[in-house]
Amino acid sequence: MAEITISLPDGSQRSLPAGATATTLAESIGSRLAKAAVAAVVDGEERDLGAPLAGGQQVAIVTADSEAGRHVLRHSTAHVMAQAVTQLFPGAKFSIGPAIADGFYYDFDLPGGRTFTEADLADIEARMRDIIKADQPFVRDELAAADALRLFADQPYKCEIIQRVSSGAADSDDAAELGNAETISIYRNTPEFVDLCRGPHVPSTGRLGHFKLMKVAGAYWRGNEKGPMLQRIYGTAWESKAALDQHLHRLEEAEKRDHRKLAVELDLLSFPQQLGGGLAVWHPKGGIVRKLMEDYSRERHLNGGYQFVFTPHLANGNLFETSGHLSWYKDGMYPPMEMDNGTYYPKPMNCPMHCLIFDSRQRSYRELPLRLFELGTVYRYERAGTLHGLMRIRGFTQDDSHIYCTEEQLQDEIISLLDFVMSVLRAFGFTDFTANLSTKDPQKYVGTDENWERATEALRMSLEKYDLDYKIKEGDAAFYGPKIDIDVKDAIGRTWQLSTIQCDFNLPERFGLEYVGADNNRHRPIMLHRALFGSIERFFGVLIEHYAGAFPTWLAPLQARVLPVAEAHQHYAEEVMARLHQEGLRVDLAEANDQLGKRIRAAKMEKIPYVLVVGDDDVAVGTLGVNPRGGEVERGVALDEFVRRVVDEVRAQLAVV
RNA sequence: GCCGGGUUAGCUCAGUUGGCAGAGCAACGCUCUUGUAAAGCGUAGGUCGAGGGUUCGAAUCCCUCACCCGGCUCCA
């Protein structure tokens, strides 16, 4: 019998009978592998397990518990969902259904403009379980575009995809369905249900099952807001029940950290309906945290060679004509106010005003780099549907800096900015950083290509020199220049985009900014835009989620609460509080009106770092019972000792720069 | 802006077919004087998001608007 030889990832070789498939290969290696297998990578390309192998090929088995394996599971589960929906909703059109991070979705167009309800999800899920139980095979077939068009004649979205792919105009959405194959590949589950797909898929639906449909949403066809709106169902799918449960548990944990919920519970801030959408008021407890954040930021900026400036909330529209904001972002600006001497707008950015400060007198090269810093409040008319707690808000304060420098200074300045930004972020408990480099959007930019290239190159070289991991985001730049965004990873592994460093050759030109060089000639400075927290509001929201509301001692609204065991200890408790206030600590006192246990519980729910209990023993010798957040109760701690510990703790938290 | 779901006491949430507005926690008062995560009793708290409509009667059905939530689109 003829044999073929296959190379495995570990370099070993294996002989198999001719006509063998990846399934045969997996079985020959071990039954556990065969059970976990969902697809194969053959000579670098993902294939179905059932595809025949040829001699000399490199083959790796993809198991369900790998990222690639889960991707296959999710994509296959999406097909099952599409089949369930087409069965339950005759006449439903289906468009695309890719695997995404943690799950999958599928977009549908239901007859008569019908929309899904949450209740439909249970029915669809039940039908999906039937399909999985039936263990339908995923049968791949390839056909010519004309045949595919005939097959999907009653599926307009599929036809659109086939036409785009066969005419070579496929985009990334299409590619998810079909790749860029010359022939159209399809997967058939039943004589009735067939879907366009590049694959690979699991051999049969029986391999699926650890999934859950999560939510319904509207989604524009091909992301085009002028196009039809489809009905999207999101689901999640995993290799095992344990993995699915773990994922659902993670979601619950994330929900507990929701800053909107915690902001109410901890009395930090609110969004009163009377104020209008996307506008927040800071309550005293949120206010003190914000003050601490800002004080720390100001101190660091002062030490970092920044100069403080202040600019008004309104500006004449001419200013934003000059900057270009009105031509690019008019829709995102609050509407104008007509006044005696012109049209005024609430400012959406601080940079134009900082340019005016630069331009207020003649500048010398000796002044550069000139670093202007402002906690500048801006207003942006975010569309109603995009508002989201503190993360997307209409009035917010940027910790905004604009640095004017020479071309020679540019790279060092960017590198020192990277250093400065991450150093400040470390004080807030972030240690894991990555970067994105956003390049020119060919549809939306000002300035010359040459300037864009120089700016992009300066940013790229700085990242290389600083040795920070980064990805390129094509076309994601601001209209005036390319940028580096710094992402941080939070306590539960989510990433948040925080800081931004933007290189700008264009605004200095638009504002005609100049300095006198050592050669006594006039030169144009380069401008760096830099926001560190980004928006104070948003950064605060990220901090709430990162710490789950339990701010580190240096940042906690209240650092300690003194609890007298009984009324008799009230006087001593007041003395303790007075002493701690003297030391600059933020402390309050809960009188003995309620039982001790109840007051402790309340303090714990408020996530106060230290609960200090004082009773007879303490009054006698000047001590405290110290109940730290997340730690063990310690009795008989001397007051001086406690002060020393807290002061040391705060110093250590801020010494991470 | 678009699609879908919501809004009842400070918070979390019940409220049947359209028929007297409810609970727990919190607040306040009294009793208890307490040693490490919820003492007991009592009191008060509401234009049921706003406005309009249907109806003998609307928290409940219909319309408009505001705000919130999940997505899409957008994000200087």
Side-chain angles (χ1 to χ4, degrees):
Chain A
M1 184 161 111
E3 293 214 327
I4 56 170
T5 304
I6 298 296
S7 304
L8 298 176
D10 64 0
S12 67
Q13 310 241 315
R14 197 163 277 261
S15 291
L16 295 169
T21 64
T23 304
T24 333
L25 173 65
E27 281 164 352
S28 81
I29 296 172
S31 63
R32 268 177 53 195
L33 181 67
K35 220 176 151 199
V38 290
V41 175
V42 179
D43 289 341
E45 303 224 350
E46 289 204 319
R47 290 287 160 76
D48 293 323
L49 282 175
L53 298 176
Q57 286 178 323
Q58 290 269 352
V59 182
I61 301 296
V62 176
T63 54
D65 59 355
S66 66
E67 256 326 293
R70 282 188 282 265
H71 194 272
V72 172
L73 286 180
R74 288 164 185 163
H75 200 168
S76 297
T77 308
H79 276 233
V80 171
M81 180 165 78
Q83 186 185 156
V85 168
T86 51
Q87 285 179 10
L88 290 168
F89 301 86
K93 312 288 183 238
F94 52 125
S95 65
I96 61 167
I100 53 173
D102 294 343
F104 60 91
Y105 67 78
Y106 217 116
D107 287 349
F108 302 95
D109 187 357
L110 297 183
R114 162 95 150 83
T115 55
F116 291 117
T117 64
E118 299 284 336
D120 291 330
L121 292 189
D123 296 342
I124 296 167
E125 220 176 278
R127 183 60 64 97
M128 287 172 71
R129 300 212 184 275
D130 292 343
I131 293 168
I132 287 166
K133 213 167 181 182
D135 200 18
Q136 301 169 353
F138 277 88
V139 182
R140 183 188 174 93
D141 201 359
E142 290 178 4
L143 39 146
D147 296 328
L149 283 173
R150 216 165 301 128
L151 182 62
F152 290 101
D154 58 346
Q155 289 292 341
Y157 300 101
K158 294 296 178 190
C159 289
E160 211 182 309
I161 296 168
I162 295 164
Q163 272 156 355
R164 243 192 324 276
V165 170
S166 59
S167 68
D171 65 7
S172 59
D173 282 353
D174 303 321
E177 290 295 297
L178 276 181
N180 293 308
E182 296 96 53
T183 51
I184 305 293
S185 56
I186 58 167
Y187 281 80
R188 195 180 284 281
N189 287 119
T190 67
E192 293 76 33
F193 184 77
V194 54
D195 195 358
L196 218 51
C197 192
R198 75 174 156 170
H201 280 289
V202 295
S204 66
T205 57
R207 304 299 302 270
L208 309 171
H210 308 292
F211 74 96
K212 182 172 162 56
L213 301 188
M214 306 297 288
K215 53 200 170 199
V216 199
Y220 296 110
W221 168 233
R222 298 178 58 74
N224 173 10
E225 71 179 307
K226 305 215 164 51
M229 172 142 306
L230 307 177
Q231 291 286 306
R232 174 172 299 179
I233 299 176
Y234 283 95
T236 186
W238 296 82
E239 69 275 18
S240 64
K241 179 161 192 316
L244 171 63
D245 288 347
Q246 226 172 61
H247 173 68
L248 297 177
H249 181 72
R250 273 196 299 274
L251 292 181
E252 272 171 42
E253 289 302 304
E255 212 169 305
K256 280 186 206 155
R257 290 170 175 261
D258 190 316
H259 71 279
R260 293 163 302 191
K261 190 174 131 88
L262 287 170
V264 174
E265 280 172 16
L266 301 175
D267 197 14
L268 300 172
L269 47 80
S270 59
F271 294 88
Q273 206 197 109
Q274 302 93 311
L275 194 56
L279 298 168
V281 288
W282 294 66
H283 301 189
K285 289 211 176 98
I288 184 68
V289 179
R290 176 168 177 162
K291 180 188 178 292
L292 291 160
M293 289 163 63
E294 292 184 353
D295 286 351
Y296 181 77
S297 166
R298 286 199 178 93
E299 190 192 325
R300 293 295 307 271
H301 279 85
L302 201 57
N303 297 336
Y306 289 79
Q307 307 187 61
F308 290 27
V309 297
F310 296 86
T311 66
H313 290 211
L314 301 179
N316 192 303
N318 294 332
L319 183 67
F320 300 118
E321 297 282 2
T322 304
S323 69
H325 286 101
L326 265 174
S327 25
W328 294 112
Y329 291 108
K330 192 167 197 302
D331 290 347
M333 288 168 64
Y334 267 83
M337 287 164 268
E338 296 302 334
M339 291 160 73
D340 322 337
N341 58 346
T343 305
Y344 284 72
Y345 288 86
K347 66 173 169 181
M349 286 286 279
N350 304 300
C351 39
M353 300 192 185
H354 290 186
C355 286
L356 297 181
I357 293 170
F358 183 94
D359 201 32
S360 63
R361 63 171 167 78
Q362 200 165 58
R363 298 288 176 181
S364 154
Y365 73 97
R366 295 171 194 274
E367 294 181 73
L368 307 185
L370 181 74
R371 306 185 183 95
L372 303 182
F373 173 71
E374 174 177 18
L375 291 169
T377 302
V378 298
Y379 297 90
R380 296 181 183 177
Y381 183 74
E382 303 284 1
R383 293 159 88 184
T386 64
L387 299 173
H388 181 90
L390 286 170
M391 301 306 175
R392 195 80 178 269
I393 194 173
R394 283 183 174 151
F396 59 95
T397 302
Q398 293 181 308
D399 58 337
D400 206 2
S401 172
H402 295 98
I403 294 149
Y404 301 86
C405 65
T406 69
E407 184 143 12
E408 296 71 53
Q409 293 167 337
L410 183 60
Q411 191 157 309
D412 283 348
E413 194 60 28
I414 296 169
I415 289 171
S416 84
L417 274 176
L418 288 171
D419 209 40
F420 182 76
V421 162
M422 288 187 273
S423 157
V424 172
L425 291 178
R426 270 191 279 272
F428 289 90
F430 298 108
T431 52
D432 195 339
F433 305 103
T434 50
N436 290 305
L437 174 60
S438 297
T439 60
K440 186 176 74 182
D441 178 349
Q443 307 300 315
K444 198 171 181 180
Y445 72 100
V446 294
T448 64
D449 287 350
E450 193 221 327
N451 278 350
W452 273 86
E453 251 156 60
R454 279 155 71 206
T456 310
E457 196 50 23
L459 291 172
R460 203 183 59 76
M461 287 301 294
S462 304
L463 284 168
E464 297 283 349
K465 265 189 140 167
Y466 197 79
D467 204 17
L468 184 64
D469 273 345
Y470 71 96
K471 289 197 190 87
I472 307 269
K473 278 187 165 172
E474 296 286 349
D476 227 31
F479 69 87
Y480 48 71
K483 61 173 179 171
I484 294 171
D485 291 321
I486 307 287
D487 291 356
V488 302
K489 203 168 251 184
D490 77 3
I492 56 170
R494 299 171 298 179
T495 57
W496 303 89
Q497 184 189 310
L498 293 179
S499 314
T500 181
I501 299 171
Q502 308 178 348
C503 188
D504 183 357
F505 285 82
N506 294 304
L507 281 191
E509 205 163 304
R510 296 175 80 99
F511 278 90
L513 304 184
E514 288 179 335
Y515 64 90
V516 177
D519 59 0
N520 200 31
N521 287 322
R522 286 166 185 263
H523 301 276
R524 180 133 295 157
I526 299 164
M527 183 176 177
L528 290 167
H529 304 241
R530 189 240 60 189
L532 202 162
F533 296 153
S535 130
I536 307 249
E537 284 78 359
R538 181 169 183 279
F539 187 70
F540 184 53
V542 173
L543 281 183
I544 294 171
E545 304 228 353
H546 177 55
Y547 289 120
F551 295 105
T553 304
W554 82 270
L555 206 50
L558 261 180
Q559 296 171 310
R561 172 169 292 164
V562 188
L563 309 188
V565 170
E567 221 167 278
H569 314 116
Q570 172 78 12
H571 181 67
Y572 176 69
E574 280 169 12
E575 277 176 13
V576 168
M577 180 166 71
R579 168 70 201 287
L580 296 176
H581 280 161
Q582 242 171 45
E583 300 288 345
L585 299 181
R586 298 181 293 278
V587 182
D588 73 357
L589 187 152
E591 293 180 17
N593 293 332
D594 284 314
Q595 280 189 322
L596 184 64
K598 184 168 179 174
R599 285 176 287 150
I600 287 171
R601 179 164 193 272
K604 293 290 178 189
M605 306 245 284
E606 285 178 54
K607 302 180 194 284
I608 300 170
Y610 293 99
V611 177
L612 307 175
V613 175
V614 293
D616 287 336
D617 303 349
D618 302 295
V619 174
V621 290
T623 57
L624 312 163
V626 177
N627 184 340
R629 188 176 61 197
E632 294 292 311
V633 173
E634 192 181 350
R635 292 279 297 270
V637 178
L639 184 50
D640 286 338
E641 168 63 15
F642 176 71
V643 169
R644 201 172 313 127
R645 282 188 205 173
V646 175
V647 169
D648 283 353
E649 182 191 14
V650 166
R651 193 177 302 137
Q653 284 171 349
L654 290 176
V656 293
V657 293

